[in-house]
């Protein structure tokens, strides 16, 4: 019987199988940020184990609340900063060099096909876009990963999604993943890997694939994953060009991770997305969705464009194309947070920041703050936000607030209208 990409990665990284169905895997990367890692760091220090398995394989960033908004946040950052210095973590990204982890780390070339990646963050599944097995873990697993470079997993089953057709104008990767979550529900992929394949995925950029994989966890998946191809090679080429004689050589090696033709899946589902319309969430779960056309006229108080889901340069370009020449509606707060310093700089050089500011948006530094209701865009009770983030549960962006998840294009159009609106209405 052939193997899936997830099975191949598990087999190649297997260190031990202490119990039936349990695999101890060697880790290629351990990612860290200032919200979950300080707890692990402190516990390791209390156990006289203040050390790391390999300082070159650990990458750390301050990104969730940056700069610090209070003394508690400042202390979390101090703990991470001091630990990185003590343990010689070269790839530590502090204030000024930092960005949203799941945008910054791929941008730095830290993830490759076939890698195993863990982080104390549920959206670590983003990195599966590169053909890696990437999963969020709890504090204990994070500690073991930091100390020993291994992590224990039950081998997940694979759900294969074949995405057929051609996306309509105004429909983006965010609409696709929201639609898919709506089809299978928030528990539809529990303890599984979702493998995204098909013509729609083949035509997607790496940034779009990251959007797909980023929200796999919202369907309960352990990880999302895309098969590596020439798009993957092109994105990684600045970082791997000294490792391969040519892009074709890189592709040949990376294709060894592809599924075997006779691989066994838990389930294969095919979707024709040619008729898909822009969608957004309506309730407090990401599987509660409606077409944007059905939500037309729903008033919003705030529009947020950013996050590890949709804060990359392609997202800002899409939103700016809708906003150009328009002003946001009276009574609407518009906030845009470029995901990394490079995204910010590129947007500045391309004139996108000026478009956002001319439209009336507040442009912030890279941060996760608003997404989880900690800073830079927290909602008041009863307020409604149109957001390009990934979670909409009750209180996510502020106690008593309502969050409608949508694409950057729909969010930009909504900012102009003051109510939920299709982006095609404003594109000239």
């Amino acid at each position: 019987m052939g193997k899936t990409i997830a099975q191949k990665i598990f087999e190649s990284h297997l260190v031990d199988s202490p119990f039936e169905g349990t695999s101890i895997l060697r880790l290629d990367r351990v990612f860290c940020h200032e919200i979950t890692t300080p707890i692990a760091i402190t516990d390791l220090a209390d156990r006289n184990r203040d050390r790391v398995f390999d300082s070159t394989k650990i990458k750390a960033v301050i990104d969730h609340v940056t700069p610090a908004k209070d003394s508690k946040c400042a202390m979390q950052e101090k703990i991470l900063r001091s630990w990185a210095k003590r343990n010689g973590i070269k790839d530590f990204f502090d204030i000024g060099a930092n960005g949203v982890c799941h945008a910054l780390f791929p941008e730095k070339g830290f993830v490759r096909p076939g890698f195993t990646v863990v982080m104390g963050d549920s959206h670590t599944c983003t990195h599966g876009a590169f053909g890696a097995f990437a999963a969020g873990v709890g504090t204990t697993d994070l500690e073991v990963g930091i100390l020993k470079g291994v992590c224990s997993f039950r081998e997940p089953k694979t759900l294969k999604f074949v995405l057929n057709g051609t996306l309509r104008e105004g429909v983006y990767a965010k609409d696709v993943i929201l639609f898919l979550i709506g089809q299978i529900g928030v528990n539809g992929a529990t303890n599984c890997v979702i493998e995204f394949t098909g013509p729609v995925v083949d035509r997607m950029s790496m940034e779009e694939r990251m959007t797909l994989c980023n929200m796999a966890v919202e369907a309960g998946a352990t990880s999302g994953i895309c098969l590596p191809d020439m798009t993957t090679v092109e994105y990684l080429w600045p970082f791997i060009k000294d490792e391969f004689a040519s892009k074709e050589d890189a592709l040949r090696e990376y294709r060894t991770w592809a599924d075997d033709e006779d691989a066994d899946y838990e389930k294969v589902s095919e979707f024709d997305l040619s008729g898909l319309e822009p969608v957004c969430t309506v309730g407090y779960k990401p599987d509660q969705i409606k077409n944007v056309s059905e939500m037309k006229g729903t008033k919003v108080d705030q529009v947020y464009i950013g996050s590890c889901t949709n804060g990359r340069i392609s997202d800002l370009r899409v939103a700016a194309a809708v906003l150009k020449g328009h002003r946001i509606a009276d009574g609407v707060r518009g906030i845009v947070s470029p995901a990394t310093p490079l995204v910010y700089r590129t947007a500045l050089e391309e004139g996108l920041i000026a478009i956002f500011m001319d439209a009336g948006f507040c442009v912030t530094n890279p941060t996760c703050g608003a997404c989880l209701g900690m800073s830079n865009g927290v909602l008041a009770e009863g307020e409604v936000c149109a957001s390009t983030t990934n979670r909409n549960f009750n209180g996510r962006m502020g106690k008593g607030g309502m969050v409608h998840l949508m694409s950057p294009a729909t969010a930009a159009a909504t900012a102009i209208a003051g109510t939920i609106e299709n982006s095609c209405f404003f594109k000239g």
Side-chain angles (χ1 to χ4, degrees):
M1 181 65 69
K3 297 181 176 64
T4 65
I5 183 172
Q7 289 172 327
K8 288 184 178 183
I9 293 173
F10 266 61
E11 185 178 85
S12 65
H13 288 74
L14 185 64
V15 175
D16 193 11
S17 298
F19 313 105
E20 184 178 354
T22 299
S23 300
I24 308 297
L25 302 185
R26 170 178 52 81
L27 297 175
D28 295 298
R29 293 288 184 267
V30 176
F31 293 156
C32 303
H33 63 54
E34 88 283 8
I35 297 297
T36 57
T37 310
I39 302 170
I41 291 169
T42 301
D43 190 57
L44 285 171
D46 289 344
R47 296 170 185 270
N48 294 317
R49 286 172 170 81
D50 183 19
R51 54 186 181 273
V52 300
F53 80 102
D54 187 334
S55 62
T56 68
K57 293 182 178 180
I58 295 178
K59 318 294 180 181
V61 65
I62 292 171
D63 68 347
H64 273 57
V65 184
T66 170
K69 67 182 178 68
D70 54 34
S71 297
K72 181 179 178 180
C73 290
M75 181 53 71
Q76 286 179 295
E77 295 175 11
K78 181 180 179 180
I79 291 170
L80 187 68
R81 189 178 291 121
S82 299
W83 167 79
K85 185 176 182 180
R86 287 196 309 273
N87 287 284
I89 310 297
K90 187 186 82 165
D91 292 316
F92 169 61
F93 301 92
D94 208 335
I95 308 298
N98 58 341
V100 176
C101 56
H102 306 310
L104 182 70
F105 293 155
E107 183 183 275
K108 298 292 185 182
F110 293 155
V111 186
R112 310 287 169 81
F115 269 21
T116 51
V117 182
V118 299
M119 186 178 196
D121 187 289
S122 56
H123 292 106
T124 306
C125 51
T126 306
H127 308 285
F130 292 86
F133 175 76
V137 296
T139 301
T140 301
D141 285 331
L142 181 61
E143 287 186 43
V144 174
I146 290 170
L147 184 65
K148 296 293 187 179
V150 297
C151 191
S152 173
F153 292 99
R154 294 191 68 82
E155 185 172 324
K157 298 174 182 178
T158 296
L159 301 178
K160 184 175 183 177
F161 288 0
V162 184
L163 309 185
N164 296 314
T166 301
L167 299 183
R168 292 178 174 183
E169 182 183 2
V171 177
Y172 298 90
K174 183 63 159 288
D175 300 297
V176 172
I177 189 59
L178 286 174
F179 167 77
L180 294 173
I181 295 168
Q183 294 297 299
I184 68 171
V186 293
N187 298 313
T190 300
N191 297 324
C192 293
V193 167
I194 299 177
E195 184 180 299
F196 299 100
T197 66
V200 170
V201 180
D202 292 343
R203 290 190 292 268
M204 284 183 172
S205 68
M206 284 308 303
E207 296 193 351
E208 292 171 305
R209 295 176 190 182
M210 282 186 260
T211 295
L212 283 187
C213 292
N214 176 270
M215 292 191 66
V217 69
E218 309 307 335
T222 302
S223 187
I225 200 162
C226 296
L227 302 180
D229 59 10
M230 187 53 79
T231 300
T232 318
V233 172
E234 292 282 0
Y235 185 96
L236 289 173
W237 190 245
F239 310 103
I240 64 174
K241 60 185 179 182
D242 294 333
E243 301 172 22
F244 299 97
S246 68
K247 293 177 182 177
E248 289 70 27
D249 284 345
L251 181 60
R252 273 191 291 274
E253 178 171 316
Y254 290 162
R255 274 186 171 160
T256 62
W257 296 107
D259 297 340
D260 296 327
E261 288 186 7
D262 58 342
D264 185 33
Y265 303 94
E266 179 71 5
K267 185 178 180 181
V268 178
S269 301
E270 296 203 27
F271 302 90
D272 185 350
L273 302 181
S274 297
L276 183 64
E277 297 181 29
V279 298
C280 66
T281 58
V282 297
Y284 292 112
K285 296 195 300 178
D287 62 356
Q288 296 174 331
I289 64 166
K290 285 186 178 181
N291 289 337
V292 168
S293 58
E294 299 176 84
M295 295 293 289
K296 186 179 174 71
T298 303
K299 186 181 180 301
V300 302
D301 301 288
Q302 177 172 295
V303 172
Y304 182 78
I305 299 172
S307 84
C308 61
T309 315
N310 286 124
R312 298 176 180 85
I313 189 61
S314 57
D315 301 308
L316 269 56
R317 286 169 180 154
V318 165
V322 176
L323 286 166
K324 190 172 184 179
H326 297 281
R327 290 279 301 178
I328 63 177
D330 291 341
V332 174
R333 306 185 301 274
I335 301 169
V336 59
S337 179
T340 71
L342 178 60
V343 173
Y344 200 124
R345 181 182 294 275
T346 303
L348 190 62
E349 291 172 350
E350 293 183 6
L352 307 184
I353 299 299
I355 291 173
F356 283 112
M357 295 184 71
D358 288 345
F361 269 76
C362 166
V363 181
T364 81
N365 62 290
T367 176
C368 301
C371 178
L372 68 163
M374 293 191 74
S375 64
N376 286 46
V378 179
L379 299 177
E381 188 171 352
E383 288 191 322
V384 178
C385 181
S387 180
T388 69
T389 54
N390 45 41
R391 290 214 165 126
N392 61 326
F393 60 71
N394 195 356
R396 171 68 174 181
M397 292 184 73
K399 184 179 179 181
M402 167 62 79
V403 179
H404 296 292
L405 305 178
M406 58 187 65
S407 74
T410 303
T414 298
I416 299 167
T419 57
I420 294 179
E421 182 59 83
N422 191 317
S423 64
C424 293
F425 185 79
F426 292 105
K427 277 189 172 180

